[in-house]
Amino acid sequence: FENLSSVHGREFENMHKLEEKISDLEMTLSKGSQEVEEFRTDIEAKYKMMFKIVADRLAHLEKLRDIFNKKLDDRKKNIKKLDSVYDKMTVLVPKMSQLEKIRGQVIGFSARLPFNMILKTHGSVLRHFKEMISNCGDHFNSETGEFTAPLDGLYATSLCVNFVVKQCLHLIIVKAPCALCKNVSYCKQCIVGDIMSKENAENGSVFVVVNLTSGDKLYTLYSSVNQMMHERSILFTCFRIG
Ligand SMILES: [Zn+2]
């Protein structure tokens, strides 16, 4: 029994030592896993911080890229604007030099319709002025009967008629273009002056001073209902005062 009990005692002691070792091991393990957890948390925090730094840098870079793109767009727009300015200038410069040339020039004309011409249609423009008395600056087109103002300014215009056949007739000096009118014969904007003759009249005339803008046209209209054969003179005149 003595032997058996001493064996038991040793076994018990061994068991106890083993339990202590297991307990030590468990403690070491728990400590190790705690360290691992701390290490993981630390790594995670560092990763988050790095991520935030990278994200911040990226946002900053994106902002810079947007600014750069905007500047590039502005530059392109400016170049486009410059191009259009250049295009306008290439059109304007010759016009300006032409205006410089015209500015000092005398502008004016007088022209007469041929005798024995039949004016037929109501509202027809007087054309084909065969006799050019003067045409300074060449701004009156004798074929179309139109004077085109080359410069803004004050102009004097007149229409003189001598009749042989005594009859009622209506002649108008017209200024065009007009955005409002449907019929220039009745448009206050278009009519610069007119001659309304009675049957017993032998001549008639109108003299008007009118403001014209560059490009405005002056021409004369026959506005009577009956056809007329004029055997004397229809004289159309315009000149720039200043
Ligand atoms: Zn009109």
Side-chain angles (χ1 to χ4, degrees), residues 178 181 184 187 189-190:
C178 164
C181 68
V184 289
C187 175
Q189 292 283 331
C190 289

Side-chain angles (χ1 to χ4, degrees), residues 135-186:
N135 193 8
C136 288
D138 203 26
H139 302 293
F140 179 69
N141 184 327
S142 60
E143 283 307 303
T144 63
E146 284 177 343
F147 169 77
T148 307
L151 291 169
D152 297 1
L154 195 65
Y155 291 78
T157 181
S158 80
L159 189 66
C160 300
V161 191
N162 290 325
F163 318 108
V164 169
V165 181
K166 291 180 182 174
Q167 59 179 300
C168 292
L169 70 90
H170 188 203
L171 288 163
I172 308 170
I173 302 174
V174 172
K175 174 181 140 182
C178 164
L180 300 170
C181 68
K182 286 168 186 156
N183 187 340
V184 289
S185 303
Y186 304 104

Side-chain angles (χ1 to χ4, degrees), residues 166-220:
K166 291 180 182 174
Q167 59 179 300
C168 292
L169 70 90
H170 188 203
L171 288 163
I172 308 170
I173 302 174
V174 172
K175 174 181 140 182
C178 164
L180 300 170
C181 68
K182 286 168 186 156
N183 187 340
V184 289
S185 303
Y186 304 104
C187 175
K188 280 184 183 171
Q189 292 283 331
C190 289
I191 297 171
V192 172
D194 63 338
I195 302 166
M196 184 85 86
S197 82
K198 303 281 187 213
E199 277 181 42
N200 58 0
E202 288 191 346
N203 51 56
S205 73
V206 62
F207 182 87
V208 192
V209 171
V210 61
N211 273 308
L212 294 180
T213 305
S214 169
D216 278 351
K217 290 179 188 302
L218 282 185
Y219 55 91
T220 45

Side-chain angles (χ1 to χ4, degrees), residues 111-130:
R112 196 175 275 127
L113 276 180
F115 288 2
N116 303 321
M117 203 179 102
I118 296 167
L119 301 171
K120 281 181 188 168
T121 324
H122 167 69
S124 63
V125 178
L126 303 184
R127 304 172 200 277
H128 313 300
F129 286 77
K130 293 289 179 209

